Amino acid sequence: MFRQTLLKIASAAFAVSVLLAAPGADAAPKKEFKVCWSIYVGWMPWGEIQNSGLMKKWADKYGISVDIVQINDYIESINQYTAGEFDGCSMTNMDALSIPSGGGVDTTALIVGDYSNGNDGIVLKGKKELAGIKGQTVNLVELSVSHYLLVRALDSIGLAEKDITVVNTSDADMIAAYGTPDVSAVVTWNPLLSEIEGMPESYKVFDSSQTPGEIIDIMMVNTETLADNPDFGKALAGAWYEMMSIMSKDDSAGMDMRTAMAKASGTDLAGYDSQLASTAMFYEPAEAVSFTKDPALITTMDFVRKFLFDKGILGEGATSVDFVGIAFPGGKTLGDTGNIKLRFDPAYMEMAAAGKL
Amino acid sequence: MRLINQKVSRPAGLLLAAIPFIAIIILYVSASEMRLAENPQDKLLPSLARMGETFWRMATVPDRRSGELLLWKDTAASLSRLGAGVGISALLALLLGVPIGLIPKVRAVLSSFIATFSLIPPITVLPILFIAAGLGEVSKVALIIIGTAPVMIRAIALAVAELPAEILVKAQTLGASTWQIILRVVLPQIWPKLVVAIRLGLVPAWIFLISAEAIASTEGLGYRIFLVRRYLAMDVILPYVAWITLIAFLLDRTLLQSSKKLFRWAHLSGESF
């Protein structure tokens, strides 16, 4: 009797631990999908796609349901996706390579939304030239795209990271930190960047428009989920490009959408439009397709993976820069072809461009 | 025999104490194996061997970026902040707690102020600290002091106030001045209480240390955890948490044992933990 009870308890505990440990373990065709996004100029449309009912419209068309969830903390959203809580998530090319792909989660770039064209920048207090950064203490979110931009900037003037001191500073505290006298150099992104740039004696000495196309904002989805459920990819791409055509126009519908997005990101229409101006949005799917097929993307990803490897964040088993393989359109690859975990696949954007969704 | 009267022998006690630890390890290992079977590079629940390797690497292999041994660099940075913060708090507890507990006029001035001050959630003061003291070491140590000193001051003040009045009266009849009473009567009895106050203060001190390091830093145990969180390196985070717990445990035990050695008279009434 007692032993039986014990067995029952043990098996129940086992079942609970399985449930706890393996979310998203099932690969069977499914009907319900969840994607996540966080606050950023280029990702605000995801929130409006959900709120305006566009997502429901497109999901209904394919007989599925897609829930778009906003996560307050950017890194947390990627971690949740990597842990299997979401089927897709908006993130940059660099974070996709280091977090899910480096962590063995096969990830596909479904919708290449935009690239930063001035949205990320370096601000110095009282110095007008980038060269003035030498010997300074630089506050930034370490190992982020800011860090990447800093390394690219230093490289462009023949300096290296050892010529400065990097202090990890949370993005939430960046503006307050900049206000203190001992902070004289920061690297950050919009909307913080424009706030900091506007402070007295502050000069933006470098920004991402000097390295165009390198910081890319993408809707990444789980490769396996996408392969098993192509309708999921079609519904997302359909909804996204319908939103793009609405918000890119200056008619009342477009203004309304952008005003809603501005409000959701804590600014007004003018503020949001100015952030859009430093973002190279791919409003037309054909633009995104040709960007994805451009050999320049391979050069960019090569920079990015070298940066990640140099900083030791390409995953624990990464003994060389080639550890994680990246696939590009046309069968081109970088790194280990036996371990491809990041795929740039324009298929769904092409369907959108051809009007086949 | 009734349950409440059944004693546990020492070997059985050790065995029983080990059960929850073993259970949690078994649960972790099985969950981790299940996830790893599906995705060998899974970052969420790394295997014990993998965590061991990472920990060993951080302790013995110089970092690619800085060429330093990260674990020791982080540990030294955090311990020196913790030591400075708790040390200053302990000093304040002595300098303020004793007069508040012993001298009615000081108590009248300070006790309600300290009681109110101790209610401020220290984390909310952090932005003010940053602006006033910058992002450097001063704010981090100050946060630990603000978080731990008021409670420690109150603990000492209460302990002093609870000294039997007879002892104070007796010292006075023998002709002792206030100063002599502090030196010869109060302080000797307060030392073990100060050790207890430090031990209890260490718990919030760790919390404030880690919070401060998470915000702006170049090294430290909390810094490392919040840094590698960016790429979900649980194989670094979990061993670091265990390492912090181990250090905290050893600090606590060291304080308890030294108190038992130095002030045997304070530990006469049975079990102390």
Side-chain angles (χ1 to χ4, degrees):
Chain A
M1 181 68 199
F2 177 69
R3 269 183 64 178
Q4 269 187 346
T5 327
L6 205 68
L7 267 175
K8 267 185 198 161
I9 293 176
S11 54
F14 186 72
V16 166
S17 70
V18 172
L19 284 176
L20 281 177
D26 52 305
K30 49 183 202 169
K31 292 281 167 201
E32 289 171 5
F33 301 88
K34 270 165 70 185
V35 298
C36 55
W37 67 283
S38 52
I39 296 269
Y40 173 72
V41 200
W43 299 330
M44 298 316 292
W46 286 116
E48 278 315 296
I49 286 173
Q50 173 82 355
N51 293 342
S52 63
L54 263 185
M55 192 66 247
K56 187 173 168 10
K57 176 185 151 191
W58 281 86
D60 285 348
K61 182 175 175 184
Y62 291 101
I64 57 172
S65 85
V66 180
D67 202 12
I68 304 178
V69 181
Q70 185 188 344
I71 307 272
N72 263 334
D73 184 313
Y74 168 57
I75 288 303
E76 197 50 43
S77 72
I78 305 178
N79 287 349
Q80 294 275 320
Y81 161 76
T82 307
E85 288 293 324
F86 290 95
D87 304 298
C89 195
S90 57
M91 63 190 88
T92 67
N93 53 329
M94 180 180 130
D95 292 317
L97 183 57
S98 67
I99 307 174
S101 299
V105 176
D106 197 329
T107 292
T108 296
L110 181 76
I111 300 168
V112 178
D114 69 271
Y115 64 81
S116 169
N117 198 19
N119 260 333
D120 299 74
I122 304 175
V123 177
L124 298 184
K125 225 182 253 176
K127 299 234 165 57
K128 294 179 186 175
E129 299 290 332
L130 177 60
I133 203 170
K134 191 171 182 185
Q136 293 218 39
T137 298
V138 185
N139 292 68
L140 49 77
V141 179
E142 230 176 292
L143 310 179
S144 69
V145 287
S146 298
H147 203 157
Y148 173 79
L149 185 75
L150 174 69
V151 168
R152 297 279 288 137
L154 291 173
D155 208 31
S156 74
I157 54 167
L159 293 178
E161 218 186 312
K162 63 176 189 310
D163 297 316
I164 53 159
T165 308
V166 164
V167 178
N168 186 42
T169 308
S170 142
D171 50 332
D173 299 298
M174 197 62 81
I175 293 178
Y178 191 75
T180 65
D182 50 345
V183 173
S184 56
V186 298
V187 190
T188 189
W189 57 84
N190 264 328
L192 311 175
L193 180 64
S194 51
E195 185 84 11
I196 286 173
E197 209 189 329
M199 293 191 193
E201 276 296 286
S202 302
Y203 303 97
K204 185 167 79 180
V205 294
F206 193 89
D207 70 34
S208 54
S209 65
Q210 286 158 269
T211 58
E214 292 190 21
I215 299 173
I216 314 166
D217 305 306
I218 306 170
M219 172 51 75
M220 292 285 180
V221 298
N222 187 298
T223 303
E224 201 179 322
T225 308
L226 184 65
D228 291 343
N229 310 277
D231 284 346
F232 166 55
K234 288 178 187 168
L236 278 183
W240 175 262
Y241 286 110
E242 184 171 346
M243 174 56 87
M244 287 301 107
S245 73
I246 298 173
M247 69 177 277
S248 59
K249 294 192 185 78
D250 262 330
D251 56 10
S252 70
M255 303 256 274
D256 282 352
M257 279 299 181
R258 296 209 304 280
T259 307
M261 290 177 208
K263 212 173 269 174
S265 55
T267 178
D268 55 10
L269 182 59
Y272 186 66
D273 279 345
S274 84
Q275 290 180 28
L276 274 179
S278 50
T279 314
M281 292 294 291
F282 296 123
Y283 290 116
E284 294 295 332
E287 295 167 354
V289 171
S290 59
F291 180 82
T292 310
K293 286 184 167 173
D294 192 329
L297 180 64
I298 303 180
T299 317
T300 297
M301 288 315 291
D302 200 30
F303 271 136
V304 169
R305 70 187 189 128
K306 280 178 182 149
F307 168 82
L308 293 178
F309 182 70
D310 280 348
K311 306 291 166 216
I313 52 181
L314 204 52
E316 178 56 29
T319 45
S320 89
V321 69
D322 287 327
F323 176 66
V324 182
I326 311 170
F328 299 93
K332 297 192 194 77
T333 59
L334 274 180
D336 184 357
T337 50
N339 186 35
I340 289 189
K341 293 294 178 195
L342 183 62
R343 298 161 200 273
F344 287 91
D345 176 8
Y348 291 84
M349 296 181 283
E350 275 169 344
M351 284 180 221
K356 285 185 182 152
L357 290 175
Chain B
M1 212 201 297
R2 285 186 187 80
L3 208 51
I4 59 164
N5 292 322
Q6 295 171 9
K7 295 273 185 288
V8 182
S9 69
R10 191 156 172 81
L14 285 176
L15 202 69
L16 287 175
I19 288 177
F21 291 100
I22 294 171
I24 199 100
I25 290 175
I26 291 177
L27 198 69
Y28 180 87
V29 168
S30 55
S32 159
E33 270 175 6
M34 257 178 286
R35 278 191 78 95
L36 288 173
E38 192 165 319
N39 168 14
Q41 285 158 39
D42 182 57
K43 287 186 163 186
L44 205 64
L45 302 177
S47 69
L48 293 184
R50 165 86 170 277
M51 286 194 278
E53 269 167 38
T54 307
F55 193 70
W56 183 248
R57 179 170 52 77
M58 299 197 77
T60 59
V61 181
D63 174 48
R64 230 187 324 235
R65 281 171 70 196
S66 60
E68 293 180 76
L69 299 175
L70 294 182
L71 177 72
W72 306 115
K73 184 182 163 202
D74 290 336
T75 308
S78 288
L79 282 183
S80 60
R81 286 171 191 144
L82 193 76
V86 175
I88 293 173
S89 285
L91 198 65
L92 284 174
L94 265 190
L95 294 179
L96 295 174
V98 171
I100 289 173
L102 192 67
I103 302 167
K105 280 184 176 166
V106 178
R107 189 182 315 154
V109 176
L110 283 181
S111 81
S112 32
F113 174 73
I114 302 253
T116 311
F117 191 84
S118 73
L119 293 176
I120 302 174
I123 274 300
T124 58
V125 186
L126 198 55
I128 306 171
L129 273 180
F130 276 162
I131 289 163
L135 294 173
E137 295 299 299
V138 179
S139 338
K140 293 184 193 101
V141 173
L143 183 69
I144 296 175
I145 297 171
I146 291 172
T148 55
V151 184
M152 286 165 72
I153 293 171
R154 291 176 83 186
I156 295 299
L158 280 173
V160 173
E162 277 169 6
L163 288 176
E166 295 87 340
I167 297 180
L168 300 180
V169 171
K170 191 166 217 171
Q172 289 173 67
T173 55
L174 292 170
S177 67
T178 300
W179 181 239
Q180 281 172 321
I181 289 176
I182 289 178
L183 286 188
R184 307 290 294 274
V185 181
V186 176
L187 282 187
Q189 303 203 50
I190 282 309
W191 296 128
K193 306 282 186 192
L194 185 67
V195 175
V196 174
I198 293 175
R199 286 175 60 203
L200 294 179
L202 274 172
V203 178
W206 275 105
I207 300 176
F208 297 122
L209 172 73
I210 304 286
S211 322
E213 287 181 341
I215 287 173
S217 274
T218 53
E219 61 195 1
L221 296 167
Y223 159 79
R224 192 71 51 197
I225 287 179
F226 279 85
L227 180 67
V228 302
R229 171 174 166 265
R230 274 199 78 84
Y231 49 98
L232 207 69
M234 295 302 269
D235 58 328
V236 176
I237 296 176
L238 292 175
Y240 257 60
V241 172
W243 177 243
I244 290 173
T245 313
L246 178 71
I247 295 174
F249 178 80
L250 290 178
L251 276 178
D252 186 67
R253 289 292 113 170
T254 312
L255 284 168
L256 175 64
Q257 292 306 331
S258 55
S259 173
K260 277 183 172 168
K261 264 233 156 65
L262 293 170
F263 320 112
R264 288 183 65 168
W265 51 269
H267 298 273
L268 293 177
S269 53
E271 199 96 3
S272 53
F273 44 86

